[in-house]
Each structure stands twice: as structure tokens, then as C-alpha cells.
Amino acid sequence: MIPAISLLGGTTRPIEAAVISGPKSPKPQKPFLNHTLKSLPKSFNLDEAIRRIESSPAKYTDPETYVLLLHACISHKSLYHGQRIYQHLQNLSKYQNGHNLIQNPTLKSKLITLFSICSRLEDARSIFDNGFDNEGAPESVWVALAIGYLKNKRFREALLVYIDMLWHNVQPGNFSFSVALKACVNLNDLRIGRGVHGQVIKSSEEPDQVVNNAVLSLYGQFGCLNDVLKMFDEMPQRNVVSWNSLISGFSRQDKLFEALDLFRKMMQSERVEFTWVTITTILPICARLTVLNSGKELHGQIIKSAKRPDILVLNSLIDMYGKCGLVDYGRRLFDGMRSKDLASWNSMLTGYAINGHMRAAMEFFDEMISSGMKPDEVTFISLLSGCSHAGLTENGKKLFYKMEKDFRVSPCLEHYACLVDLLGRSGRIGEAMEIVKTMPMKPSGSIWGSLLNSCHRHGNISFAESIAERLFELEPNNPGNYVILSNIYANAGMWDSVNKVRETMQIRGIKKEAGCSWIQVKNRVHTFVAGGGFEFRNSVEYKKSWNELSEAMKEIGYVPDTSVVLHDVNEETKAMWVCGHSERLATMFALVNTADGMPIRITKNLRVCIDCHSWVKVVSRITGRIIVLRDTNRFHHFKEGTCSCNDYW
């Protein structure tokens, strides 16, 4: 019994009929194949080859001749020659009794494949439906049609072919399983995918590596990490595709450090060579974690590779360098590219914008337009976001309205979010609210969250309370919204209101996200949590460096700004808490464990507080170090006591 899977209902329908693998025909005797004819398709002299068989149809009646010709047509995607061969085969079956070659499963599969790769799926389906009863069609013919649909991104039809095959009592094999599983991945259908996996397990045929990798990819796509690990551990053989699926599955679930560890294990312990797919999976992880050393190491591997990197790899490198704060490195790569696509320009533009280089970003945008490259939605999201964080309110507004008028890019939700953030950051909260009221789509939680942040920045309590109410309805479990409202009340000294918000969080079981910073020293990532790092803070090296730095800061006149501690406690406790913020611990760790003069690169999961921002500025002045700090909003490049954000973030 083979359970047939229904796309329309939630049940399976059993097939009671016996499973067959297709009719067996006696092996035909091969007539002598003219060596000249055999050589013609290989040299792609198909006109001459087809002329010969058309002139002497009775001479060429063995399937091998036509398989060879069709294989050449497939290799060169020659629809014209394929149609001539198909017409000849139809004529042959019509006028030459006993030579109905179209019924040959191998030829039928080749014809279906040819028409499919030439995007003539209706013709491919017609060939499949005609010629012989599909009750007797072997698996290979069904698979050829399913693959045709799959390669033309018609995934539902590909899966329906597989299901129809089951209903015709054709026993699925590894080719069928791999096609069905890939269709499920692209249809985002885990339920049916699990059903296919069940059939793989029950099948008498051992699954090959392609099928196992397809199952791995399915579970990785849906974040079923337990299934992914179980499948991976049970695989008798693993190749780079298996590792890519495993790493990608962890990356999708934001298990980024674990994904990096898996990549190192793949390369170092298992000695598996990477592919460009591996690289384009790992580089975005390096970008998100801001682990520049790992990104540079990958770049070195790419340079050493005998293969020339494709445009996707180069775009990933540009993106990685931009998101690790080295925009100049990305620009060198960009300038050296032989060909560039829209993603290349957008990656470079995003790098300029998030690092606060808005003059360079606008100049680069002009260069992009002059080159003939048309901007898209992503282009304007990068520019508008950059204008917002740089305080270029009027420039951003002009760009927003110019976007549709001059470039025919209709604003989407993300563009409106940027515009609202742009106005709100500059204190124009009333104007931002008008945009929200008149925008053509329903405002998202991110738009209301941006407005709440603006209220926090400018101390606007009346707007904050009404905005928070909407947010609590849209995102009842988002701790950030409660924390911002609590901070707004705390800044205003409204401690009763602060306590009410905290009580609400406690009742609803909502916990505040802890401040966390990390730094890569050599090839190891060190993580620090606010108020933690006790072992390091109790070390002799830390105490010595901290005391020396504190003395130097006092001489300059630095005094901690305890207003950032939004708790009703005394000043001494506030000062102590400020000193325990995660970005300070990461900075101190870098000062202790890296050589003098080396740049320090830190990433934080939350927005850097005002006092830590001032503290890092002073540290960069005293130590002469360049300190690059990336928070949730943007990059801060500290050098000689100043920051690239100009204290606007």
C-alpha cells in the first residue's frame, strides 16, 4: 500500500492496487549505427544528421540513433531541431508499422526533457499524455515531466505529477522522492514533505545521497533542528550539500554561532571542500555577527580557490565588509568586479548608509543612476534609513517623494517606516503621526515602535501612551515596547507608572532582553552580558587597566551620566550599574587582550546608551585606538574622541 498525498485535503487516500515499476520489453537488437551519423550530433551538425534520417527513414529505426540526436538538442537547447525529430518520429510511427518509437520510454523522457528546458511545458505534457497508456509508463517518464515542472518553478504541478504517479500504481524510487521533496521545500509544505519522507523510509530501495540531502533541506527550511540533526547523524554518507543544508538550517533559526562552528568542523575536522553555496551561506552570518576575522579568512579561501568567484559570492563579500565597518574594502571589491548587478550596487550603498557615510552614499547613488542601473525598493530603503540616522530630514523627505515620481518605485510599508522614523527622530512627531494616518496601508508594529522610540528620545509622554496601547495590541509579547514606555515614565520621574508597566510585564511573563556585547579576538568570539563578566572583572589585568583608564578619564573631566539608569536607586548604585554595561566590558577585554594600536570592533544587541557612547569616545581619545561599535541602529566609528554619528543616533 502506498499512501497518496492530497494537496487539497488533510487526509491520505490508500491505494490498494499492486505496485508496478512499468512494463518490461525485450531488449531490441541494435542495428549497425552509421559512425558518420553518430559523430554529427557530437559536433552539433544536427541539420545534416536530421537530413539523413529524414531521407532514409527505414534505415534508422533503432532508439539509440534518436536518443543521441535528442541528447544533442537538450545540450544546446535546440527546440527547432527537437521539433523536427519529434515530427519525424510521429511520421515514422504513422507510416512504418511496428516502428512506433514514441512509445519508447527513453525517447519519451528525452522529448519531455527537451520541451521542458525550452519552456514548452504544454508540449511536454502533450507528449506525456499521448503515445501510450500512462498506466504502463515507467517511473522515468513521470520523473522527466515532474523535473520539467520543477525547473520551470511550477512546483505545485511537479508535486501533482508525483501524486498522480502514485495513483497509477507506479512505485516511487529515489528520483521521484528527490523531485517531490524539492517541490515541498519550494511550496513551503512541511506536512506533505513529511509524508514523502515517510514513503522514503518505507521504500524497499535504499535512499541515495540526493534523497537524504533533500530531506535534510526540507527540515532545515522549516527550522526542525531536531529532525535535521537526527537525519544528518543517520546519513551513511555526507557531502558538501549535506553540510550546506545543516548550516543553512541553523542560520535560519538564528543559531549563528552554532552555524559558524559547524562550518569550521566541516572544513577542519571533516576536510570537506566548500562550494560557492557554502560561502554565500557563511558570509551573511559573518556580516550579522560582525566577525570580521572570520569574514577575512573566508575571503582568503576564495582568493586561493582555483575557481573564479561568481557575482553572488562577490556581492556577499561586499555586504560582509560593509556590515563589519570596512566600507573601503567593499568598494575595492566593487570597483574590481567585471560585471555588476543591482544587488552589487545595493550592497555597496547599504554599506555606506549603515556606516554613516551619507555624502558618499548619495554620490554613489548618482553614479548608479548615471551607469544606467535602475534602483529598486531596497535601494531607497537603504538611502532613507541612512538619512534618518544621519539627521538628514529634508533630504530624506525629498528622496521619498522623488522615488515614485522620478524612478517609478511605489513606496511600500518599509519606505513609510523609514519616513516615519526620519520625522520622528528629528522631533516632528505630529507630522510623523499624520503620515501614519494617511498612508495607504495598515501601519505595522515596526512603524508604531519607531514612533514610540521618538517619543522616548524627545520626552513626549502624551503621544507615547496612545502609541504604546496600539503596540500592546499588535505585539503583546514584545518586551522592547514595555521597556521603552517604562523608560519614558522613568525619565519623567513617574515611578508609579514605571512600576505598573513592570507589574504588567511580570503578570504576562514578559522578560526584558539583557544587554549583550561580543568581540572577536583572533578566531574566538567573547560574549559579555550587562552586569556579568565577573571572572574577567576580578582579574588583575582588568583591575589594573580599569584603574589607569579611570584616572586618565578623571583628569580629562569625564563624569558618568547616571540618568541612563532608569531605576529609583541612589547615585552610587547607578554609577556602579553604568560601569557594568556590556559594551564597556567588551572594550576593556579588547584593551587587555589586543596589541596597542589595533582597532577594536564590538557588536551590541541593543542601542548603545548615551553614557557608554560618551565613555567610548573618551577611551578612543586616551588610548589612541579606533573603536568600531555596531548597535541595533547603526555603526559608530570612534576616533580621537569623536564619533562618526556626530552624537545623533
Side-chain angles (χ1 to χ4, degrees), residues 486 489-490 492-503 568:
S486 173
Y489 286 141
M494 300 167 64
W495 297 108
D496 288 341
S497 298
V498 170
N499 291 331
K500 283 181 184 177
V501 174
R502 289 175 182 168
E503 283 171 13
D568 194 9

Side-chain angles (χ1 to χ4, degrees), residues 85-216:
I85 294 167
Y86 179 46
Q87 184 63 50
H88 175 73
L89 287 170
Q90 285 180 310
N91 293 336
L92 195 66
S93 63
K94 190 174 181 180
Y95 298 113
Q96 301 281 336
N97 257 347
H99 295 298
N100 192 358
L101 292 176
I102 295 178
Q103 291 187 18
N104 181 281
T106 306
L107 280 179
K108 196 175 185 75
S109 299
K110 290 284 183 186
L111 283 166
I112 291 169
T113 300
L114 172 64
F115 282 98
S116 297
I117 64 166
C118 294
S119 301
R120 299 288 289 268
L121 288 174
E122 288 72 20
D123 292 332
R125 182 79 210 202
S126 176
I127 291 167
F128 174 83
D129 288 335
N130 298 322
F132 62 77
D133 185 1
N134 287 333
E135 291 287 348
E139 182 201 15
S140 59
V141 179
W142 291 91
V143 169
L145 182 63
I147 289 174
Y149 282 124
L150 195 69
K151 291 196 172 179
N152 282 275
K153 301 188 185 304
R154 287 170 62 172
F155 307 116
R156 189 174 186 275
E157 287 94 329
L159 194 54
L160 284 171
V161 169
Y162 174 78
I163 292 167
D164 200 22
M165 183 186 81
L166 298 182
W167 277 97
H168 281 83
N169 294 333
V170 178
Q171 185 170 1
N174 284 333
F175 285 113
S176 304
F177 291 140
S178 63
V179 171
L181 287 163
K182 287 172 185 175
C184 290
V185 169
N186 286 286
L187 287 168
N188 288 317
D189 199 320
L190 178 62
R191 181 182 65 85
I192 294 180
R194 282 193 185 277
V196 177
H197 185 202
Q199 292 176 328
V200 172
I201 293 168
K202 292 176 184 176
S203 174
S204 58
E205 185 179 357
E206 278 294 312
D208 60 18
Q209 197 165 54
V210 175
V211 172
N212 285 332
N213 285 340
V215 174
L216 204 62

Side-chain angles (χ1 to χ4, degrees), residues 602-621:
I602 301 164
T603 309
K604 186 175 181 181
N605 67 332
L606 303 174
R607 180 180 182 269
V608 61
C609 80
I610 293 169
D611 186 60
C612 285
H613 190 270
S614 302
W615 183 84
V616 178
K617 282 200 295 183
V618 178
V619 172
S620 71
R621 177 181 168 186

Side-chain angles (χ1 to χ4, degrees), residues 246-258:
L246 183 65
I247 293 166
S248 180
F250 274 81
S251 176
R252 282 195 186 96
Q253 292 302 300
D254 289 332
K255 305 279 187 184
L256 303 182
F257 290 112
E258 293 89 339

Side-chain angles (χ1 to χ4, degrees), residues 90-91 128 201 234 262 288 365 413-414 464 522 562 592:
Q90 285 180 310
N91 293 336
F128 174 83
I201 293 168
E234 291 175 354
L262 285 169
R288 287 177 66 185
F365 176 67
L413 192 63
E414 287 81 1
K522 295 181 180 177
T562 56
V592 169

Side-chain angles (χ1 to χ4, degrees), residues 567-599:
H567 291 268
D568 194 9
V569 293
N570 60 46
E571 287 300 308
E572 187 178 345
T573 304
K574 286 182 179 181
M576 183 180 69
W577 284 356
V578 166
C579 293
H581 281 190
S582 62
E583 55 267 55
R584 299 196 190 205
L585 297 175
T587 304
M588 289 305 302
F589 186 85
L591 291 171
V592 169
N593 290 284
T594 60
D596 290 345
M598 276 191 69

Side-chain angles (χ1 to χ4, degrees), residues 292 324-326 328 355 357 519 586-587 590-591 594-602 616-630 635-644:
L292 179 63
C324 286
L326 288 180
D328 291 344
N355 281 278
H357 306 320
I519 182 168
T587 304
L591 291 171
T594 60
D596 290 345
M598 276 191 69
I600 296 171
R601 300 179 188 280
I602 301 164
V616 178
K617 282 200 295 183
V618 178
V619 172
S620 71
R621 177 181 168 186
I622 292 169
T623 62
R625 299 273 198 123
I626 293 172
I627 303 174
V628 181
L629 171 61
R630 177 181 169 184
F635 274 92
H636 300 267
H637 295 260
F638 298 93
K639 184 179 179 181
E640 297 175 354
T642 62
C643 180
S644 59

